[in-house]
Amino acid sequence: MDTTVIQQDIAQADAVNALAEALGPKGLLRDHGDCDRYASDQSGLLGDRPVAVLRPASTEDVSRALAICSQYRIGVVPQGGRTGLSGGACSPQGAVVLSTERMSGVVEIDREAMTLTALAGTPLEAVQDAARAAGLDYPVDIGARGSATIGGTIATNAGGIRVLQHGMTRANVLGLEAVLADGSVVSRLGKTVKDNSGFDLKQLFIGSEGTLGVVTKAVLQLRRHVPQSALALFALPNHAAALACLAAARQRFGTRIRAFEGMWPDYWDFVCHETSLATAPIAGRHGFYLLIEVEAEAAETNEELEMFFAELFEQGLVEDGVLAKSLAEMQALWSVREAVGEVDDDFGHHVNFDIGVSPSDLGAFCDAADAVLATLPDALGVLKVGHVGDGNVHLLVAHNGSSAAEDQVEAAIYGLLREWQGAVTAEHGVGRIKSRWLGHCRSPEELALMRGLKAQMDPLGILNPSALFMPEDI
Amino acid sequence: MDTTVIQQDIAQADAVNALAEALGPKGLLRDHGDCDRYASDQSGLLGDRPVAVLRPASTEDVSRALAICSQYRIGVVPQGGRTGLSGGACSPQGAVVLSTERMSGVVEIDREAMTLTALAGTPLEAVQDAARAAGLDYPVDIGARGSATIGGTIATNAGGIRVLQHGMTRANVLGLEAVLADGSVVSRLGKTVKDNSGFDLKQLFIGSEGTLGVVTKAVLQLRRHVPQSALALFALPNHAAALACLAAARQRFGTRIRAFEGMWPDYWDFVCHETSLATAPIAGRHGFYLLIEVEAEAAETNEELEMFFAELFEQGLVEDGVLAKSLAEMQALWSVREAVGEVDDDFGHHVNFDIGVSPSDLGAFCDAADAVLATLPDALGVLKVGHVGDGNVHLLVAHNGSSAAEDQVEAAIYGLLREWQGAVTAEHGVGRIKSRWLGHCRSPEELALMRGLKAQMDPLGILNPSALFMPEDI
């Protein structure tokens, strides 16, 4: 052990002592067993044991903690519910974790402004429930709603199945409070979408994965709650037909389309036939499957969907379809789409891509991906499922489990993506597992500006030091 | 004339020569008469004659021009249609103007992705027309649509009457290309709302009034075009009733509400009775007036509005109402609201405020503003008109024309705003005429971060040097 390492250890111990004093007995964990529980998220990447886990109870605590971390130049990994899929909440060596778990609660609901103010550590589902109890709706929804926190969904700009209707998390945040690396608090908790008084600073913290500041509080835009909806599953000849259906659905239902989810036959066959993860609600083989959910403003919406189907059928755009007649049938239809969360065991080693391209290019991109994967001996199969209207496909590619095969598959798909000018991640975030591919979709000028902003706002590089950027970048 | 000034003049002349060479004969104007036409916008503030007017024809031209301006440290005022109301496009002494007028045109419409790609200098109305010709809609709409450019609406994050339905300009931009102060081009012209591949850099350029970069091209999100709508004017007892009507309208019509505009009796009486700027569609005196436009998806929407009125009437929320039965009647109803653009001559010297507060606070804020103005001997009258659902009121306060009176009125209203934690500008922007009040709604920490971002992205301070920040700030 050389002198530098010893000095680092001493500095680390001093930092932890200072943090413990600032945050109080409930505010810091340093027991190894406790710390291990905060090392990783749900990406599959294993984080290192954090030096300590900070559990601030207030914005002031976060401010004090970050000021101390700056002073000792110790890395801080902000954590919400650790449900991320990109390793953005995994701890690197020598860092502390800052968990917002003690900063939980809905502070206020303003029915007239249709806003909800919540602390960063509030679970997404608690926000949704509080909104509904007030007769309103917070429309951001993801599978991890029970554990994911509002702060985490903001830091990662969470997407989900209702993006088509209400946008990403970014579109649903009106006000934000965040703490900068030096501990200064940047707070703007306004309740209006209309504010051109200087730079819209909240945009910097939304989706930057904790690399520019720690989100502590937010004012969210609520929407009208429409409890009823109609749901149908259509079988189509191909993805091109799905795009035509989307255009027709937009003309007919406008912003009432709540979800427009697509499944390629590889995915459908895997979950319905090759495994028993789901039961096929439609028989026979088809080229594409669509799950369409429409807000039911009127009792006639089921009939509207039936008429819509009849029209599309006449045009040859759909080959078969089934309409949910009960809540149980709705769940059955959704279960085919949601089975993607359960394929891991059966599908074996695989890369889970979260590709974004222009919605108009999605079908062609997937065809090209199929073609390039067919040339790779170590690519053992592909499942494709995604959000047709958003140009977002989750492409699961099985391989033999070697890191060489994983590299080969990633290089092939991200290489293709570069040609299509897409996004290496549409909704899951860059985190740690996609940072090396970021240059495949962002230009040197963009990356330079990103690095410049990071250097300006976090000059010591303490905020989520292993996320988003490559280590050599900062 | 001292040596420094002579050296500055020589540097300026060298800069203009270099710019002329880079941009070609059509790309630069230096005739005094020509330059004078580009000195000011529609704020009433008189800009200085620019040293030259740059008229780049391409992104590459903009890049070359900014690199030269950086080299010679000469200020650059980006200009679109010069329709701004805050002086953000007014030229300060010794600067050049960069007009995007030669960079005009719709590059592409992608019906499947529902996007339109346009050069920055394209007039807003040309974009709206192109979208409609494709059966789609670009929903950002402001009175200056004929002259305002897409680049200008993006740089100022333009609002308008349809913000309630489709958000500010920010919510309608998917991809953006901008040129930084040093001439580097930051381009991300993606067509999907879903992109979490690193920082969302476009947010920096939207609404920052040309202080961080020059917008050159954009991909806009189009919406379904709903040609029909129903329009009603309601008379109410007070603003509180308007908020109750808004909640009821949201429950009934959801996102079909296209406009929800409010007029206080001072405004109504002025345009309908004290002047002949408009004809009162409703007789008698009332405490508040609402203009409600709803997308007509079905032929029954007029009846729906009638039923809605009947319900509200029964609850005592509305006192009177009129429903437009023809396009001519729609225009007549709108003309009362739009008369705000014509009050200048009749109302005399006045300050035009563009206040933003929480929608739930709007009524109380306006009452407080009335009360504080009543105590000012030099405040000669007030008109209040605005966007009820957005918490945005345009407050016109007449005064005796002296700058002391103007200061007094501004200090009173912005002082009040500070207590209400509002925005000194909801949609018009800070420009030059509101920068001294920015500290009334942004904290020292926010202003420090804004200055840090400015210093990082435009270290020489050449981009729109007199806008948004106070001179001593940068």
Side-chain angles (χ1 to χ4, degrees), chain A residues 110 188 197 255 360 441-442, chain B residues 110 188 197 255 360 441-442:
Chain A
D110 183 332
R188 189 151 188 81
S197 305
T255 52
S360 49
C441 70
R442 305 300 295 257
Chain B
D110 182 333
R188 188 150 190 82
S197 305
T255 51
S360 49
C441 70
R442 306 299 296 257

Side-chain angles (χ1 to χ4, degrees), chain A residues 13-35:
Chain A
D14 287 350
V16 172
N17 288 335
L19 288 163
E21 194 172 330
L23 299 174
K26 286 188 185 167
L28 186 133
L29 306 174
R30 53 177 124 188
D31 174 85
H32 283 185
D34 286 333
C35 288

Side-chain angles (χ1 to χ4, degrees), chain B residues 99-122:
Chain B
S99 167
T100 56
E101 62 194 356
R102 285 174 73 210
M103 297 169 63
S104 178
V106 172
V107 176
E108 187 210 43
I109 293 182
D110 182 333
R111 284 168 203 247
E112 289 177 333
M114 288 178 75
T115 62
L116 182 151
T117 305
L119 303 181
T122 316

Side-chain angles (χ1 to χ4, degrees), chain B residues 277-334:
Chain B
L277 292 171
T279 307
I282 289 178
R285 287 193 64 84
H286 303 275
F288 201 80
Y289 302 87
L290 269 184
L291 198 58
I292 305 176
E293 185 164 347
V294 177
E295 273 186 0
E297 294 194 273
E300 302 85 31
T301 303
N302 263 358
E303 285 83 59
E304 275 186 278
L305 263 183
E306 260 174 59
M307 283 172 54
F308 181 57
F309 172 80
E311 250 175 47
L312 298 174
F313 187 78
E314 210 153 282
Q315 295 170 46
L317 292 172
V318 299
E319 299 171 338
D320 203 349
V322 54
L323 189 72
K325 307 273 190 194
S326 66
L327 275 179
E329 286 184 24
M330 288 183 84
Q331 278 166 10
L333 295 192
W334 265 112

